[in-house]
Amino acid sequence: MNTLVLLFVKLTGLLLLAPILQGMIKRLKGTIQGRQGPGVFQPFRDVKKLLAKRRVISRETSWVFGIAPIVAFAAVLTASLMVPWIDPTPWNYMSDLLLFVYLLAIPRFMMALAGLDASGSFGGMSSSREMAVSALAEPALLLALLTLALPARSLNLQNLIGGSDAVPIFTPAGLLAGVAFFVVVVAELGRIPVDNPDTHLELTMIHEGMVLEYSGPQLALIHLTYWIKQVTLVLLLMNVFAPFGLVFAIDAAAGLVAVGWLLAKLAMAAIALALTETLLAKLRLFQMMDLMGLSLVLSITALLFVATGS
Amino acid sequence: MTLLALGWLFFFISFVTGAFGHDTAVGWRRFGCRMAATGSAFILALGVTGLAGAEWRFAWDIPAVLGPSTFVLDRLSGLFLTMLGGVGVAASIFSEGYLEHLEKRWNFHWMPICQALFLGSMAGVFVAGTIPTFLFFWELMALSSFGLVMLDSLTESRRRTGFIYLAMTHVGTAFLTLALLWPCARSGSGWAITDWVSGLAGFGGWERIVVIACLLIGFGTKAGMMPFHVWLPRAHPQAPSHVSALMSGVMVKTGIYGLFRFLTGSGVVLHAELGWVLLGIGFVSMLLGVLYACNEHHLKTLLAYSSIENVGIVLLALGMGILLRTWGHEADAALAFSAGLFHAFNHAFFKGLLFMSAGAVQATSHDGNMDELGGMARTIPAASMLFFVGALAISCLPPLNGFAGEWLVYRSVLSGFALPGLASKIVLPLMAAGLALAGALAAGCFVKAFGTIFLGKPRSHAAGHQAAPGMKRMIAGMMLPAVACVVFGVFPEIVIKPLTTMFEASRGLPYGPYALSWPGRPDEGVQPLLVLSCLAAGILMAWWILGRRGRAPAAAVVETWNCGTPLTPRMAYTASAFAEPVKVNFAWLLQLRRDLRDHGPLAPLLPSRMTYRLETVHLFVDYLYKPLLRGILALSHGVQKLQAGSLNAYLALLFAVIVGLLIMGGIR
């Protein structure tokens, strides 16, 4: 019963926080770039508008086009349940690190297929790019997490977070792995310098090209999926590498502090993402190898620190 | 024993049907297929009893042919017989429908004859308890599969492929014969596998190295491990699709079976170096296999390369097990072996499924070149859904069986972090990252395959025309492995538990409450059923969100937006185009040869005509086999000169040999 209540709270929080984080990033980006920017709650309005709109679908599409956003949403939602927010223990029975990495591969697989389904050039181009970038991002993601998981002798995300006394980003290995992980998060979210979420220019787009043929409620679902994935990855980054203010026992006061920390972490992540997106330019597609290589080298250096025991 | 005999009996009936049945009579052919399916079902039952723990040993003296032979059933044989039986039943049912479109082209006498021999001999390999028996069935398997590869041998290139297959498989068998007979001859006590082990234990350093190297080459050639893989991507696609399913799903596994049978038994003394060698070979096979698969635009060749990748993953687990065992981590070693076996088991089902789907595609479109297909999700929707299941499984997406197998392989590679030495602490996590790279590339590869075959507009008339005759029977055959992919993904413990009890060290370990768990670490694991229910709940929730469009008008169906120009099939990404970014990223490894030629304009002011060729250099073919072949040919030409030359030179040679022998005798 307790678990079900917690599950309900978490799901509601997820559906509320995910659009807000997106709104925060957009708003901050606007401020940094000297514009006013859309309001923090704009994503809610977008979803509401899209849900009421009529769908326009291509006549070339097959059954894949219909199920892709649904399955992608389900997989991201399942993955998001595995990441702790304020409390590192409740979902111990399904917080495997490898499961997490491969659950995030499901939406990629489905959306890449959906991109090919409409037979247009844009969709195929974006699918092809997405699979090539993800082939490099997936090992980098795994290696960055492994640098912390291996010394803790556990591949469970929950054990990983409660595992060590030291805050990882204050250790050399943890700091390096944290930066490596941040690079991967930027790539996974399709943000600059990997992809530009604000443009539909065919030369640059990856994620937007695959969803080009979607409209109406399906597009709303795809946006929601992306936002949930964003908040999940950001919270994973924060709670694994900077686990401040997590609650290890049921305690109202500590709980409130933890919620405060949670919001602070989201705000920090929003600032970091908005800053990288404003300060950096998009890389050429074939320079992605170097960026992911950078992440890999950072992780390997972190592993060296771990292996030599310092 | 009864089950084995019944299985062989039905294969024999199928054989007789092929030999004496009328080759144009559909009834005879169907009867043959059904007999093969029945025989496979008995083999499947035999395998399941073996996997569940039934053991028997049966001695049979076959004078003049093999001498005293024993047939043994244990868990290891049981696992592989289950694969053989499962894929065999599916492939036999599938072949009933698949053969309908081949009517005129092939010699139907040879098909059931070779297929029955092939199935029966593979069962023999898995139950043989003495080495001569093992080698007899091994050779029978090689010859019957050669017959199947050569069924359609009208063109020169097809005959050449058959020749390469025959040559490679016999080179492998030669090495294997040496590796298996020499230790037995040394021990002198008999020809059973236990005698081989005791013979090997009596060997000194270099002799053992020679035996193990020969064993690796022999079994590795059959398993398609690099660099002995060159026959595999040629021969597998050339056989009819249900045979490709058997070859890639099961025959490749006889090599894996041999390695596990001879190297992981109790009493075999191993060295850490062998573990590292196998890890290296596995890593190279895995990465190069999947990269070549990404570059391939012929569907069945792509699947064959992907088999090499999966064999690499199995070898990675085997090497890891040997490494752990030499360092005394017996329990973890046993689990690493189980991980490799479980992945091999899973691969049989999803690769069998994918090859049969490829057969359905080929039967419908008469073409296996993905660049000429497209839109077949509307022509053959059921086959597209089954291919989809296989693609999900092979991309190791949870909760299907590919994920379950790779999860265990990951765990075994990462358990090496406990080993002493900086090398294992750095190299092994990098191997895990390599596994992730291979997994992501495989996912890209199968997005490409599924997307260009089944989605978009058809690029040829046949692809979008109508389903092949016999499609229903083909679908029926494909259902079985598809169900296996789901069942072994959601309930992996039904195979993992018997597997871990196979090895003494892991027998007493607590299994933990999770279906997918690392025995001895009961606090961690994955519960695939829970993942599945979460996914189902998520799907329902998405359905609910989408269902709220009650207020919105019905969907409008229009043409895909193409910047205002009419959409033609040529505008969609082809398989070759899809793989381009991967090719560019890994150009340093793939050694691409680009050839862009400008032929000049046909008339003034018109754009010039250009041709573009892109070729992949296959490292081992171009840098190992071709120089080797040239060397051998040059040598034989040299010898030819001596032999066909003057009588004087010949006599001088004879004299030199005699003198040499005398000197050697004198030194003794």
Side-chain angles (χ1 to χ4, degrees):
Chain A
M1 193 59 219
N2 219 0
T3 320
L4 277 182
V5 172
L6 276 173
L7 187 69
F8 183 75
V9 170
K10 191 157 184 176
L11 272 179
T12 323
L14 203 61
L15 291 178
L16 283 176
L17 275 184
I20 289 179
L21 178 66
Q22 172 73 5
M24 271 158 64
I25 296 172
K26 282 225 163 185
R27 178 68 203 237
L28 275 168
K29 248 172 80 180
T31 311
I32 295 171
Q33 292 167 359
R35 302 181 277 120
Q36 192 187 352
V40 174
F41 297 105
Q42 184 59 36
F44 288 106
R45 291 182 208 115
D46 288 344
V47 166
K48 193 179 165 224
K49 177 190 74 183
L50 284 172
L51 281 179
K53 281 222 168 204
R54 169 169 134 163
R55 279 195 308 154
V56 180
I57 56 173
S58 161
R59 78 165 53 96
E60 310 301 334
T61 55
S62 67
W63 54 271
V64 172
F65 193 78
I67 67 161
I70 297 177
V71 175
F73 176 80
V76 168
L77 204 64
T78 310
S80 73
L81 291 180
M82 295 167 54
V83 176
W85 286 18
I86 57 173
D87 170 355
T89 46
W91 320 102
N92 195 28
Y93 46 85
M94 57 166 291
S95 291
D96 189 77
L97 190 155
L98 298 166
L99 178 66
F100 180 79
V101 171
Y102 278 98
L103 271 176
L104 285 188
I106 293 180
R108 200 182 295 134
F109 191 88
M110 296 307 300
M111 295 320 292
L113 283 182
L116 285 165
D117 203 9
S119 194
S121 311
F122 296 130
M125 180 193 67
S126 307
S127 301
S128 155
R129 290 177 181 176
E130 169 83 355
M131 294 322 281
V133 170
S134 77
L136 305 173
E138 207 161 278
L141 171 71
L142 188 71
L143 206 60
L145 285 173
L146 283 183
T147 36
L148 293 193
L150 285 176
R153 298 259 186 274
S154 170
L155 291 185
N156 191 307
L157 287 175
Q158 313 287 353
N159 297 348
L160 198 63
I161 286 164
S164 72
D165 299 328
V167 176
I169 51 163
F170 295 150
T171 63
L175 182 64
L176 289 169
V179 176
F181 192 78
F182 181 73
V183 173
V184 183
V185 167
V186 168
E188 283 280 337
L189 293 178
R191 292 192 169 275
I192 290 177
V194 175
D195 186 11
N196 189 347
D198 294 331
T199 174
H200 283 89
L201 189 67
E202 67 268 27
L203 288 177
T204 59
M205 66 186 171
I206 299 179
H207 178 259
E208 291 303 310
M210 293 190 293
V211 304
L212 204 58
E213 291 301 323
Y214 282 103
S215 54
Q218 282 179 321
L219 188 60
L221 193 67
I222 289 168
H223 283 329
L224 209 54
T225 308
Y226 173 77
W227 298 333
I228 294 175
K229 182 178 167 186
Q230 175 167 276
V231 80
T232 302
L233 280 173
V234 161
L235 278 176
L236 183 67
L237 171 73
M238 286 293 179
N239 283 345
V240 167
F241 292 96
F244 299 115
L246 292 178
V247 199
F248 290 88
I250 296 173
D251 177 0
L256 274 179
V257 174
V259 172
W261 266 112
L262 175 71
L263 294 176
K265 282 174 193 166
L266 286 183
M268 278 190 297
I271 293 171
L273 285 174
L275 270 178
T276 49
E277 203 148 276
T278 310
L279 295 178
L280 297 179
K282 194 188 163 302
L283 282 177
R284 280 180 58 217
L285 184 68
F286 294 120
Q287 285 170 338
M288 228 53 83
M289 188 96 172
D290 303 340
L291 187 70
M292 291 303 125
L294 169 75
S295 172
L296 275 179
V297 167
L298 287 173
S299 294
I300 294 168
T301 322
L303 262 180
L304 269 172
F305 274 108
V306 169
T308 51
S310 56
Chain B
M1 189 62 219
T2 329
L3 287 171
L4 180 66
L6 278 171
W8 271 338
L9 176 69
F10 278 96
F11 290 145
F12 182 69
I13 298 175
S14 174
F15 176 91
V16 172
T17 321
F20 300 108
H22 199 270
D23 66 338
T24 50
V26 178
W28 271 112
R29 207 169 60 222
R30 288 205 174 144
F31 179 72
C33 291
R34 279 175 203 171
M35 288 301 107
T38 319
S40 304
F42 281 115
I43 297 295
L44 176 64
L46 175 73
V48 171
T49 56
L51 193 60
E55 284 189 20
W56 48 249
R57 172 180 291 273
F58 178 79
W60 184 20
D61 206 346
I62 315 171
V65 185
L66 294 170
S69 303
T70 38
F71 298 94
V72 182
L73 181 78
D74 57 9
R75 283 187 202 271
L76 187 63
S77 326
L79 179 83
F80 283 88
L81 287 168
T82 312
M83 278 185 224
L84 171 64
V87 181
V89 170
S92 307
I93 297 173
F94 174 87
S95 66
E96 219 182 299
Y98 179 73
L99 291 178
E100 283 187 23
H101 86 284
L102 300 170
E103 214 98 34
K104 285 163 203 109
R105 287 172 62 199
W106 287 0
N107 185 335
F108 278 104
H109 280 303
W110 284 105
M111 161 77 104
I113 291 178
C114 289
Q115 194 181 339
L117 276 176
F118 186 47
L119 287 166
S121 59
M122 279 197 287
V125 166
F126 294 142
V127 293
T130 42
I131 280 162
T133 328
F134 182 86
L135 286 174
F136 169 75
F137 283 117
W138 187 266
E139 184 58 20
L140 193 60
M141 175 179 81
L143 289 178
S144 55
S145 59
F146 169 71
L148 290 166
V149 168
M150 292 297 281
L151 276 177
D152 182 9
S153 53
L154 292 175
T155 61
E156 174 67 31
S157 72
R158 284 174 166 268
R159 284 196 289 273
R160 194 176 150 71
T161 298
F163 174 73
I164 290 176
Y165 174 48
L166 196 65
M168 287 291 289
T169 193
H170 276 113
V171 169
T173 309
F175 277 103
L176 198 60
T177 312
L178 178 67
L180 295 187
L181 293 183
W182 189 18
C184 286
R186 176 64 65 91
S187 82
S189 52
W191 301 99
I193 290 169
T194 44
D195 300 316
W196 183 86
V197 172
S198 60
L200 186 69
F203 273 157
W206 68 270
E207 288 167 316
R208 184 175 301 158
I209 292 174
V210 170
V211 169
I212 298 283
C214 290
L215 195 77
L216 264 187
I217 295 174
F219 285 129
T221 309
K222 192 57 82 182
M225 95 184 179
M226 287 192 176
F228 309 107
H229 67 287
V230 285
W231 61 273
L232 196 150
R234 297 162 201 255
H236 284 200
Q238 186 169 313
S241 288
H242 63 285
V243 176
S244 318
L246 280 171
M247 285 176 85
S248 244
V250 189
M251 189 182 80
V252 156
K253 306 298 159 46
T254 57
I256 302 286
Y257 168 79
L259 287 174
F260 275 91
R261 170 66 78 195
F262 286 93
L263 292 182
T264 68
S266 57
V268 183
V269 186
L270 297 166
H271 301 280
E273 285 79 6
L274 178 64
W276 284 111
V277 165
L278 277 170
L279 276 171
I281 292 177
F283 190 73
V284 170
S285 304
M286 172 179 85
L287 274 188
L288 281 181
V290 73
L291 277 175
Y292 290 148
C294 280
N295 269 345
E296 194 49 57
H297 52 83
H298 193 281
L299 176 57
K300 284 174 82 177
T301 318
L302 180 151
L303 293 176
Y305 273 120
S306 151
S307 292
I308 297 176
E309 179 218 345
N310 283 285
V311 163
I313 294 174
V314 175
L315 291 180
L316 208 62
L318 175 64
M320 203 56 230
I322 290 172
L323 200 60
L324 286 163
R325 179 173 270 187
T326 52
W327 282 102
H329 295 250
E330 281 287 342
D332 279 346
L335 293 171
F337 293 144
S338 316
L341 288 172
F342 187 47
H343 188 74
F345 181 78
N346 290 328
H347 176 252
F349 291 100
F350 55 68
K351 191 48 66 68
L353 172 61
L354 286 168
F355 260 115
M356 285 186 246
S357 321
V361 167
Q362 231 167 7
T364 300
S365 67
H366 308 292
D367 198 352
N369 184 356
M370 294 190 280
D371 287 347
E372 300 297 332
L373 301 174
M376 293 183 74
R378 278 185 297 277
T379 327
I380 41 173
S384 79
M385 285 176 201
L386 290 166
F387 188 97
F388 184 69
V389 172
L392 286 178
I394 202 168
S395 311
C396 57
L397 298 180
L400 294 173
N401 64 351
F403 174 74
E406 285 212 16
W407 188 87
L408 283 174
V409 177
Y410 269 115
R411 293 295 315 228
S412 47
V413 171
L414 293 176
S415 68
F417 197 73
L419 296 178
L422 200 56
S424 50
K425 284 188 166 52
I426 301 293
V427 174
L428 294 178
L430 281 181
M431 294 236 167
L435 209 51
L437 176 63
L441 284 173
C445 182
F446 281 92
V447 164
K448 172 184 98 167
F450 188 86
T452 45
I453 294 169
F454 292 106
L455 305 179
K457 278 185 172 229
R459 292 183 187 84
S460 68
H461 174 68
H465 192 48
Q466 64 176 32
M471 184 55 75
K472 273 191 191 141
R473 287 168 206 276
M474 287 193 235
I475 299 292
M478 284 149 68
M479 292 295 270
L480 183 75
V483 168
C485 284
V486 178
V487 168
F488 295 129
V490 179
F491 306 104
E493 76 275 19
I494 52 182
V495 182
I496 301 173
K497 275 185 183 166
L499 275 182
T500 49
T501 48
M502 197 158 81
F503 299 95
E504 212 168 308
S506 62
R507 214 164 275 164
L509 293 179
Y511 193 75
Y514 306 99
L516 195 55
S517 108
W518 191 246
R521 290 298 304 269
D523 56 330
E524 299 179 40
V526 177
Q527 193 67 280
L529 193 60
L530 189 70
V531 178
L532 187 66
S533 20
C534 281
L535 285 175
I539 286 172
L540 283 179
M541 201 167 146
W543 213 282
W544 177 75
I545 294 176
L546 288 183
R548 286 172 47 78
R549 66 167 182 271
R551 288 170 294 162
V557 180
V558 294
E559 192 72 30
T560 302
W561 169 245
N562 197 40
C563 303
T565 54
L567 189 72
T568 70
R570 288 281 153 218
M571 286 171 180
Y573 258 46
T574 57
S576 311
F578 194 91
E580 185 66 20
V582 171
K583 277 185 214 168
V584 174
N585 279 340
F586 292 95
W588 50 278
L589 197 58
L590 290 170
Q591 307 241 334
L592 299 178
R593 276 187 201 143
R594 284 163 200 281
D595 185 14
L596 180 66
R597 279 191 202 151
D598 192 336
H599 298 284
L602 288 173
L605 300 180
L606 285 179
S608 56
R609 202 170 65 87
M610 288 185 171
T611 51
Y612 176 65
R613 267 178 75 82
L614 183 66
E615 249 181 292
T616 313
V617 178
H618 287 254
L619 291 176
F620 291 116
V621 178
D622 288 43
Y623 296 136
L624 180 66
Y625 283 95
K626 282 186 182 166
L628 190 71
L629 205 60
R630 271 199 297 272
I632 290 174
L633 285 179
L635 193 71
S636 57
H637 274 298
V639 174
Q640 208 176 21
K641 231 175 266 168
L642 198 67
Q643 191 200 18
S646 67
L647 190 63
N648 294 346
Y650 212 67
L651 287 174
L653 180 71
L654 270 179
F655 183 69
V657 169
I658 290 168
V659 170
L661 285 174
L662 285 173
I663 290 171
M664 274 170 71
I667 290 170
R668 270 260 168 101

